[in-house]
Amino acid sequence: MRPFAYERAKDLTSAIAAAGPANRPSLDAPIHYLAGGTTLLDLMKLDVMVPEGIVDINPLSPSLSEIRIDEDGASLGALARMSDVAHHPEIERGYPVVSQTLKLAASAQLRNMATLGGNVLQRTRCAYFRDVSWKACNKRDPGSGCAALDGCNRMHAVLGVSDHCIATYPGDFAQALIALDAIVHLNGPTGQRDISFHALHRLPGDTPHVETVLSAGEIISGFRIPASRVARRSLYVKVRDRESYEFAVTSAAVALDLQDGRVADVRIALGGVATVPWRAREAEVILRGGLLDEANARRAAEAAFAMAEIRGDNQYKPELGRRTLVRALMQAAQMEV
Amino acid sequence: MDAPTPIESGTIGKAIPRIDGRLKVTGAARYPSDVAVADSAYAFLVTSTIARGRIKAVHLDEAKAVEGMLDILTHENMHGKIRKARFFSKGGYTATSVVPLDSSKIWHAGQIIAVVIAETFEAAREAAHKIRFDYVERKAVATFDPRHPRPSSWSLTGDDVKVGDPQKAFDDASVKVDAAYSTPIQHHNPIELYTTTCVWSGDQLTIYEPSQYVHGLKNGVASQLGLKADKVRVVSPFVGGAFGGKAAVTPRTSLIALAAKRLNRPVKLVATRDQGYTVSSHRAETQHRIRISADSNGTLTSLTHEGWEVTSRSDEYKVAGTETTALMYACPNIATKVHLVHADRNTPGFMRSPPEVPYMFALESAMDELAVSLGMDPVELRRINDTAVSPIDGKPYSSRSLMTCYDRAAASFGWSRRKSAPGSMTNGDWLVGWGCATCCYPTNVAPAAVRVTLAPNGTVRVQTAGHDIGTGAYTAIALTAAEGLGVPVEDVNVELGDSTLPPSPVAGGSNATASICNAVALACQELLGRMAEAASKSDGPLTGMDPAAMRMRDGRLSAPDGISESLKVALARLSFGPVETTTKYTPDVAPTAIKLTGHALLGKGIPVMTAGTNAGDHIQYAFGAEFVEVRIHRRTREIRVPRIVGAFAAGRIVSPTTARSQLLGGMIWGIGSALHEATDIDPRAARYMNADLAEYLIPVNADIGEVDVIFVPEEDTKVNALGIKGLGELGNVGTNAAIANAVYHATGRRIRDLPIRMENLL
Amino acid sequence: MDTFSPVKTSPELRRRKATTIDIVLSINSRDYHLDLDSRVTLLDALREHVGLTGSKKGCDHGQCGACTVHLDGKRVLSCLTLAASAAGKAITTIEGLSQEDGLLHPMQQAFLEHDALQCGYCTPGQIMSAVACVTEGHADTDDDIREYMSGNLCRCAAYPNIVEAIKHARDAVLDSAKEHRS
């Protein structure tokens, strides 16, 4: 860990000013916001992230931690802690997939620390990314190559991959947000803007080091999940080697509106298998308007993984991912709502 | 000295809370890195990022510029400073024969190539990250070479067994299994990291380091540094888990000692979790081929077990568990062979139940496959082939309660309700499978020395340089001393983990309880004798009575006719002051060489253990049987273990509370080993890729359902006078196979390579 | 050849830090004024600067739970918390759990009675986590306890005994938490 200047934010405006481009000595040594710290400190200890300055935004918690649910949807402050949102009774009841993605992530301690904003920005677990002694990592060092392509890649992505990066996006909560068409509120040096959650993360392509559309100094201040008919019949199936405290090997977030046994609307997001939070729209198209039975679920799952690209150790992932989705769909169909 | 006569039943076998528990639940137990050392500097290791080659150049400029930097050790300033000490498994001390920072040669990835010392941990870490090395890299071999899966194999002549004509018997047999099995690289991963703090006081070195063998560490470091052994002291009263990883002397210790010497200041090292994967040892991957055959009644006609193991370039470390598998069941024709393959890897070493875990996985899987081929219940197959003697040379087992264990565990598990067809049992969306396997572990025992002091107030102090690595040694020793001197266990204080105390053997091979408790019992007997002698000669209630007939019980020295005297009163009256003895115990079963030189070697920190396979005119093992239920999701194939039952016969159980925890923990280790644990290695670079606790998976609380431990009573005074068989390693021997067998039962899929994961069952 | 000789420093120079911050940490109801490198984690502050070594370092990356402490009554990982971030919060460690007179907290007592530990290294973290598991209301069923205690690895694998201990301590912990509030 490199030395850094530590500053406690007084308010959002001054925090943004402190972290803005004017204060960035260089792109390699930026100023980072510190919220829960569960990604940032982890990677700083490994020298993967080397900020020159830290702006501790935890003092802003009182104003940025709201959890408000009304008829139009749910508003979630970026500094709300995962545990608080996960166990909020109205979230549990009205947005089960949100609650479940949070409850099934990490551990109770980490969920008490980690914020929603930080959670969606968590970095990949790719071992070649996390160890700076591996020369080839386009995410750390653009143009250096990708050691994972032909390395140990059991946990690596099969969707949204490129020849430059196959690092898996490790989060769970993002699958709920992308499934429910959430909006992200951003504040930055040039003002406020709202973007669709699916526009937040960027596919690796040939620039895997650029993970999001956030500009320098820009901060996530909150999320808005619009009310929808699918939210209530929603769930998250997370498949992993051990029962808890492990990143998803594969996962599926499903939100379903069933009318008279037919799929009026459906949203599907997949985790553990893609380089970014992944919306499986091809699968949704197949299901919409039809009966939700085993055969249709399987067809949808085939479509979801039609573009999957495997690399060595992760060749099992498309099939496990398909089964995970079928399981999630059939379970969602049986939910009592 | 004669072996102690068995003691009348008292506190041995009493279930009490572990006596060091209070210190542990309050955070007051001081593990070595908890010890406050005034004005300590902090060390951080730098390790090699290549697996084979040499260092061409070292760039220290950036690191030197870090504020608070104090010193950097590399081969350039350390060459020739540390002497070579003998490898542990060759009767020496060290975990590797590679001398720390002695040359530019790189033997394996993760080799220590620099040590940075700074004012703070933060500065040391920063500077360590700023050191750059230029290498000349050579192509490394990561594991068994896939192009030549078994090249340059090195047969361990001498250990190989050949009885009868197994080839012919196999060819002639009506029912047979010929299968290959494998087990992965695994790491101990005690939650306590590998730490070392060194403090010099003049020419006296004190090392605070968690250790399974403080006498080995003391003598090993002394020999590496050219010091007299009495100039080195190792302090390790609490050890935060070890499992084999803290048994031998690792390169870090002598380096930290020298760093402290150079600065004339204490230096503290807490190696990182990922460094722990390469600065100590690991369990190497193994491959097996088993050919086993039976007649149509299930009687074994042949067993051939061939094993392949990986070791480092610098050392020949093997576990060679065929020694156990060859004598497990009655069989007229047996052959075994073990091959060793060198790779560019840190030297492997002991990890909980070293030989039995991989080798019994293969044998017990093969037995299950044979049972399937025979259409026979797997328990019955074991019963038919149970034996009271070694099938190799006819030596009897001192005791063998294997089938009693099977019967007790099967009854508790409800095995009779098992439907034998694979895939025939389900529970909702989950396929259910039941499987079982044999556990065994040799009853090893070693010389041990203890000092027992009876204070004038009637309290007892037991001192020995033994180790409680979570095993319950403190408690077992206290119970033994309490019984031996007839005092309440609360009045016994036990001191362990300090090399200034009388030497105890390594806490490994499940020998410690048997070795130390027998020594304690002997010492107590001697103190009793001295008290009784004095009491009979002095002017008191016991005057003139036969000292040999006296006993200590309930805090009183008692004669057979009921006349007795309070111990405290006797002590005061006989004005002994403290009564103390230092007693050396040598196992009866030890071969002559150990009887003659065992204590001399022990004093030098050299392991001297009598193996259960080499115990005089018999062989001695503890046994158990495990039954597991697995559930496998019908769609996504997650594998869970909702319940596991183990029944174990391990002689006399000294401390049931901690023994139960050992077996429970062992079985859970087995669950992790079967389903979770494997160290990934990048074949291109021969580097470990999941050297942490997030991607190297060990079970979490939610993975563990019902775990049932059954003690099967067993009396066996042939193993040692107290009849103790070690059990720390017994519990996880059968679990791998029991789970693999249950997975077969649930799915019809035989998985022969560990760990068993979802992708194997899609 | 010695390329680099050890630096001989004065105690004064030794105290200089890269980027120093002055903070007050409130630990177990006692204030500690500290002058720390900004990089110091709460765990290292406790262990190396305050002398409270009950909280353990098992991974330093949020993967084992051995460093679990309470911040304002919530369980967190002190290895991934900057000491600076913890200023102004009530920090409770294992040393602050038992009473001054040595009376064990009911959870400590239950761990002792159920042998919910072996080597004991993860135990302070387990106990801090277990107390929170109960006060959060996640100790109603065995499955809940298992899930909500899964952030604390125990390599000795005392898990079944940990579950037993928490079940037995549950009511007493809730009672004492109530008393504490009133």
Side-chain angles (χ1 to χ4, degrees):
Chain A
M1 192 186 288
R2 307 301 164 106
F4 56 82
Y6 173 83
E7 187 178 334
R8 284 170 86 88
K10 288 177 195 63
D11 53 56
L12 189 55
T13 314
S14 65
I16 290 166
N23 285 322
R24 288 198 167 193
S26 76
L27 205 67
D28 294 335
I31 292 172
H32 277 298
Y33 296 115
L34 173 71
T38 56
T39 292
L40 183 58
L41 284 175
D42 172 35
L43 291 175
M44 283 170 67
K45 288 179 183 187
L46 298 172
D47 249 16
V48 173
M49 294 176 80
V50 287
E52 286 211 344
I54 294 265
V55 180
D56 187 342
I57 53 173
N58 286 295
L60 311 182
S61 286
S63 60
L64 289 180
S65 299
E66 78 162 351
I67 304 171
R68 186 167 51 81
I69 291 97
D70 56 32
E71 288 168 5
D72 299 329
S75 291
L76 304 173
L79 291 184
R81 307 288 150 168
M82 290 170 72
S83 52
D84 292 332
V85 181
H87 296 285
H88 194 284
E90 289 181 78
I91 295 287
E92 283 178 319
R93 194 167 48 244
Y95 301 85
V97 69
V98 172
S99 169
Q100 289 167 18
T101 52
L102 292 166
K103 282 179 186 169
L104 291 171
S107 69
Q109 291 95 312
L110 288 163
R111 295 192 295 267
N112 277 342
M113 303 166 72
T115 63
L116 298 189
N119 178 288
V120 301
L121 298 177
Q122 66 187 297
R123 314 288 302 273
T124 183
R125 299 294 306 180
C126 173
Y128 301 95
F129 167 73
R130 288 175 58 82
D131 183 340
V132 296
S133 71
W134 283 91
K135 295 275 179 293
C137 175
N138 290 321
K139 207 180 254 308
R140 267 192 287 106
D141 185 8
S144 60
C146 174
L149 290 178
D150 300 306
C152 294
N153 49 27
R154 173 179 186 256
M155 293 295 280
H156 282 70
V158 295
L159 293 171
V161 296
S162 75
D163 291 342
H164 305 276
C165 185
I166 57 170
T168 305
Y169 174 79
D172 299 301
F173 175 55
Q175 318 311 336
L177 292 178
I178 202 167
L180 296 180
D181 287 329
I183 302 295
V184 190
H185 306 305
L186 303 175
N187 286 58
T190 56
Q192 289 185 16
R193 60 176 177 141
D194 286 353
I195 61 170
S196 167
F197 185 79
H198 73 73
L200 179 64
H201 291 84
R202 291 173 41 134
L203 284 167
D206 56 5
T207 56
H209 60 293
V210 187
E211 294 179 358
T212 68
V213 299
L214 294 179
S215 57
E218 208 164 25
I219 190 171
I220 296 175
S221 58
F223 302 92
R224 176 76 185 159
I225 304 173
S228 67
R229 298 181 68 96
V230 295
R232 185 159 274 224
R233 187 188 288 277
S234 69
L235 55 69
Y236 189 59
V237 170
K238 184 171 180 178
V239 172
R240 40 190 168 173
D241 302 292
R242 66 183 181 194
E243 178 70 15
S244 184
Y245 203 9
E246 188 188 348
F247 294 94
V249 176
T250 61
S251 71
V254 165
L256 196 58
D257 179 17
L258 276 185
Q259 302 288 341
D260 305 326
R262 289 193 174 267
V263 177
D265 194 6
V266 62
R267 320 281 180 77
I268 296 169
L270 303 174
V273 294
T275 55
V276 293
W278 192 262
R279 181 79 176 262
R281 293 185 194 277
E282 308 80 0
E284 295 172 7
V285 168
I286 286 176
L287 291 170
R288 257 186 216 110
L291 288 172
L292 185 46
D293 56 16
E294 191 88 23
N296 279 338
R298 183 72 201 181
R299 278 178 55 229
E302 298 286 347
F305 284 89
M307 304 295 281
E309 292 180 47
I310 53 172
R311 295 256 180 196
D313 302 337
N314 65 3
Q315 60 176 333
Y316 70 96
K317 270 207 174 176
E319 177 56 18
L320 188 61
R322 285 188 284 264
R323 291 178 180 218
T324 304
L325 176 53
V326 172
R327 177 176 162 188
L329 285 166
M330 301 315 287
Q331 271 180 229
Q334 283 158 21
M335 276 176 75
E336 307 259 343
V337 295
Chain B
M1 186 175 281
D2 291 340
T5 48
I7 302 171
E8 292 156 42
S9 179
T11 54
I12 289 185
K14 204 172 152 191
I16 60 164
R18 66 179 69 225
I19 64 168
D20 49 335
R22 188 186 169 92
L23 289 173
K24 288 175 172 176
V25 300
T26 54
R30 290 273 174 275
Y31 297 81
S33 67
D34 297 340
V35 174
V37 175
D39 198 31
S40 176
Y42 292 82
F44 202 95
L45 302 177
V46 182
T47 58
S48 168
T49 60
I50 67 163
R52 188 181 185 196
R54 64 180 177 84
I55 296 165
K56 195 167 63 182
V58 189
H59 304 282
L60 302 178
D61 290 353
E62 258 195 275
K64 283 181 184 175
V66 170
E67 193 180 342
M69 251 297 310
L70 295 172
D71 198 6
I72 301 174
L73 313 183
T74 69
H75 68 280
E76 293 184 341
N77 56 14
M78 281 292 109
H79 167 69
K81 297 280 190 340
I82 295 173
R83 302 179 188 183
K84 183 164 183 151
R86 194 194 291 257
F87 179 50
F88 191 98
S89 295
K90 292 258 194 287
Y93 304 109
T94 58
T96 166
S97 293
V98 177
V99 179
L101 294 184
D102 196 51
S103 81
S104 62
K105 181 165 178 170
I106 301 295
W107 292 83
H108 62 86
Q111 178 180 325
I112 298 171
I113 50 173
V115 184
V116 180
I117 301 98
E119 293 290 349
T120 64
F121 169 69
E122 291 74 24
R125 179 175 56 193
E126 178 191 354
H129 284 149
K130 286 179 168 170
I131 298 181
R132 281 196 305 110
F133 287 89
D134 296 335
Y135 301 100
V136 177
E137 190 171 0
R138 294 180 63 198
K139 176 84 188 131
V141 174
T143 176
F144 297 113
D145 190 329
R147 289 161 303 167
H148 311 283
R150 285 146 193 181
S152 63
S153 49
W154 182 72
S155 178
L156 297 168
T157 49
D159 290 355
D160 297 343
V161 168
K162 181 87 189 286
V163 180
D165 189 345
Q167 182 66 54
K168 182 173 185 305
F170 186 82
D171 292 342
D172 293 349
S174 55
V175 186
K176 54 183 110 176
V177 170
D178 181 349
Y181 305 88
S182 74
T183 63
I185 308 170
Q186 295 178 334
H187 277 81
H188 313 84
N189 276 310
I191 301 298
E192 178 189 36
L193 297 162
Y194 294 106
T195 77
T196 300
T197 303
C198 286
V199 183
W200 289 89
S201 171
D203 63 351
Q204 181 75 42
L205 170 65
T206 303
I207 302 168
Y208 300 91
E209 178 177 311
S211 171
Q212 290 171 262
Y213 194 23
V214 291
H215 256 77
L217 185 56
K218 164 185 141 164
N219 284 278
V221 171
S223 96
Q224 285 179 308
L225 299 183
L227 299 171
K228 287 198 170 130
D230 62 6
K231 296 292 179 193
V232 181
R233 178 186 177 198
V234 175
V235 181
S236 176
F238 294 100
V239 181
F243 313 111
K246 295 170 181 171
V249 181
T250 68
R252 71 188 195 272
T253 315
S254 54
L255 291 171
I256 299 304
L258 287 179
K261 187 89 189 163
R262 283 161 66 92
L263 286 168
N264 193 26
R265 195 175 157 187
V267 173
K268 175 175 183 174
L269 168 75
V270 178
T272 61
R273 173 61 56 185
D274 66 306
Q275 289 168 351
Y277 279 67
T278 58
V279 303
S280 183
S281 64
H282 61 285
R283 191 200 302 282
E285 60 274 48
T286 66
Q287 297 182 348
H288 306 261
R289 183 180 178 197
I290 290 199
R291 276 165 291 171
I292 190 167
S293 60
D295 65 22
S296 55
N297 299 321
T299 304
L300 294 185
T301 59
S302 80
L303 168 67
T304 304
H305 189 167
E306 208 169 351
W308 289 262
E309 302 181 25
V310 168
T311 187
S312 64
R313 295 268 180 219
S314 57
D315 294 289
E316 282 168 359
Y317 177 83
K318 63 176 197 298
V319 298
T322 47
E323 193 175 37
T324 285
T325 55
L327 48 71
M328 203 39 46
Y329 299 108
C331 185
N333 302 290
I334 302 172
T336 70
K337 204 180 249 307
V338 174
H339 312 263
L340 207 52
V341 176
H342 292 268
D344 298 295
R345 180 83 67 73
N346 56 320
T347 301
F350 324 104
M351 184 166 152
R352 198 173 191 176
S353 331
E356 283 73 18
V357 158
Y359 281 79
M360 285 294 282
F361 162 65
L363 177 66
E364 291 299 291
S365 293
M367 285 292 281
D368 198 71
E369 297 202 50
L370 190 65
V372 170
S373 300
L374 286 158
M376 180 179 279
D377 183 290
V379 178
E380 286 315 299
L381 181 62
R382 269 87 173 184
R383 194 185 313 279
I384 288 167
N385 295 291
D386 191 25
T387 179
V389 302
S390 159
I392 300 165
D393 56 15
K395 272 194 193 175
Y397 281 94
S398 63
S399 60
R400 176 167 159 134
S401 311
L402 175 64
M403 291 322 297
T404 315
C405 292
Y406 264 108
D407 292 340
R408 291 284 308 278
S412 169
F413 186 83
W415 182 253
S416 60
R417 299 194 305 275
R418 177 178 184 259
K419 298 178 196 162
S420 63
S424 60
M425 295 169 71
T426 58
N427 185 329
D429 277 340
W430 297 82
L431 309 173
V432 173
W434 289 3
C436 63
T438 296
C439 294
C440 63
Y441 202 77
T443 300
N444 306 319
V445 61
V450 299
R451 181 160 59 233
V452 179
T453 310
L454 193 50
N457 66 358
T459 62
V460 177
R461 184 167 66 168
V462 185
Q463 296 170 299
T464 181
H467 319 81
D468 192 326
I469 55 176
T471 46
Y474 278 111
T475 309
I477 291 168
L479 286 164
T480 307
E483 173 152 326
L485 291 173
V487 299
V489 70
E490 301 78 35
D491 286 352
V492 182
N493 292 304
V494 182
E495 291 174 24
L496 303 174
D498 187 329
S499 66
T500 58
L501 303 177
S504 256
V506 61
S510 297
N511 88 92
T513 305
S515 308
I516 299 173
C517 289
N518 274 290
V520 170
L522 261 187
C524 293
Q525 214 171 43
E526 189 187 322
L527 289 182
L528 164 68
R530 277 156 58 180
M531 288 292 296
E533 188 76 32
S536 77
K537 285 182 182 156
S538 75
D539 192 12
L542 296 165
T543 306
M545 302 202 174
D546 176 12
M550 291 185 206
R551 295 283 179 272
M552 284 206 248
R553 195 181 296 158
D554 301 330
R556 302 185 74 81
L557 192 56
S558 316
D561 61 5
I563 297 175
S564 70
E565 182 177 20
S566 151
L567 187 58
K568 283 178 201 172
V569 172
L571 275 162
R573 196 172 54 76
L574 302 169
S575 56
F576 280 151
V579 189
E580 177 183 303
T581 178
T582 300
T583 301
K584 292 177 175 175
Y585 164 74
T586 305
D588 278 347
V589 296
T592 311
I594 290 184
K595 283 186 170 143
L596 292 174
T597 63
H599 279 277
L601 291 170
L602 183 68
K604 289 180 184 155
I606 291 167
V608 268
M609 210 181 285
T610 300
T613 48
N614 190 28
D617 56 1
H618 62 266
I619 49 177
Q620 47 190 48
Y621 271 77
F623 287 94
E626 287 181 19
F627 290 75
V628 302
E629 174 172 328
V630 300
R631 291 192 191 173
I632 298 168
H633 197 274
R634 70 184 175 95
R635 294 186 193 274
T636 40
R637 302 296 179 176
E638 296 102 310
I639 310 161
R640 304 289 182 249
V641 182
R643 63 194 186 104
I644 176 166
V645 176
F648 304 95
R652 191 172 191 193
I653 305 301
V654 181
S655 167
T657 303
T658 56
R660 180 178 177 276
S661 286
Q662 280 284 86
L663 291 166
L664 194 104
M667 286 196 276
I668 296 170
W669 255 63
I671 294 172
S673 179
L675 301 177
H676 302 129
E677 289 186 44
T679 310
D680 300 330
I681 191 162
D682 186 304
R684 303 164 300 182
R687 297 182 64 186
Y688 299 138
M689 293 312 300
N690 56 344
D692 62 19
L693 289 175
E695 274 85 14
Y696 183 97
L697 301 177
I698 63 172
V700 296
N701 205 317
D703 286 305
I704 305 308
E706 289 172 41
V707 184
D708 189 7
V709 175
I710 299 166
F711 286 111
V712 171
E714 182 177 70
E715 262 191 51
D716 181 346
T717 49
K718 286 188 194 136
V719 291
N720 49 66
L722 291 184
I724 299 166
K725 293 178 172 180
L727 49 69
E729 286 161 289
L730 181 60
N732 62 323
V733 170
T735 328
N736 277 322
I739 288 177
N741 298 341
V743 166
Y744 172 79
H745 181 236
T747 63
R749 300 277 283 274
R750 178 66 62 179
I751 308 300
R752 301 185 180 90
D753 305 294
L754 297 181
I756 304 171
R757 287 179 169 159
M758 297 176 280
E759 55 262 44
N760 304 125
L761 302 173
L762 290 176
Chain C
M1 181 186 64
D2 200 333
T3 51
F4 190 63
S5 301
V7 182
K8 308 292 181 203
T9 57
S10 66
E12 214 173 5
L13 191 62
R14 287 178 196 174
R15 279 196 290 274
R16 273 187 43 193
K17 304 290 189 319
T19 309
T20 308
I21 48 162
D22 294 330
I23 54 169
V24 178
L25 293 183
S26 168
I27 307 164
N28 304 329
S29 307
R30 199 180 137 190
D31 283 353
Y32 295 82
H33 293 257
L34 299 168
D35 184 7
L36 298 176
D37 187 315
S38 62
R39 294 171 289 184
V40 175
T41 62
L42 177 57
L43 176 61
D44 288 328
L46 290 169
R47 292 182 55 81
E48 307 297 336
H49 299 272
V50 178
L52 292 174
T53 54
S55 308
K56 302 300 187 203
K57 185 178 282 190
C59 71
D60 218 15
H61 285 274
Q63 301 166 357
C64 77
C67 66
T68 301
V69 299
H70 294 180
L71 267 193
D72 287 342
K74 286 189 168 182
R75 50 174 158 165
V76 300
L77 301 177
S78 59
C79 78
L80 289 183
T81 304
L82 283 182
S85 285
K89 299 192 173 176
I91 302 158
T92 310
T93 70
I94 188 73
E95 290 92 345
L97 212 56
S98 41
Q99 294 179 14
E100 302 250 318
D101 61 5
L103 189 69
L104 295 180
H105 184 280
M107 191 60 80
Q108 292 172 313
Q109 187 64 37
F111 267 62
L112 191 57
E113 285 168 8
H114 293 273
D115 206 40
L117 60 123
Q118 291 186 48
C119 81
Y121 195 80
C122 72
T123 308
Q126 297 279 0
I127 291 175
M128 297 309 288
S129 202
V131 171
C133 180
V134 170
T135 54
E136 286 164 7
H138 294 136
D140 290 343
T141 66
D142 287 12
D143 280 349
D144 256 9
I145 294 171
R146 289 181 183 124
E147 169 57 31
Y148 282 88
M149 287 302 293
S150 282
N152 292 80
L153 304 187
C154 175
R155 184 55 157 161
C156 302
Y159 297 130
N161 292 357
I162 290 170
V163 174
E164 284 304 305
I166 293 173
K167 277 160 64 176
H168 281 83
R170 182 172 51 208
D171 293 346
V173 171
L174 287 173
D175 287 349
S176 79
K178 252 183 246 163
E179 258 173 54
H180 213 257
R181 273 198 299 273
S182 64

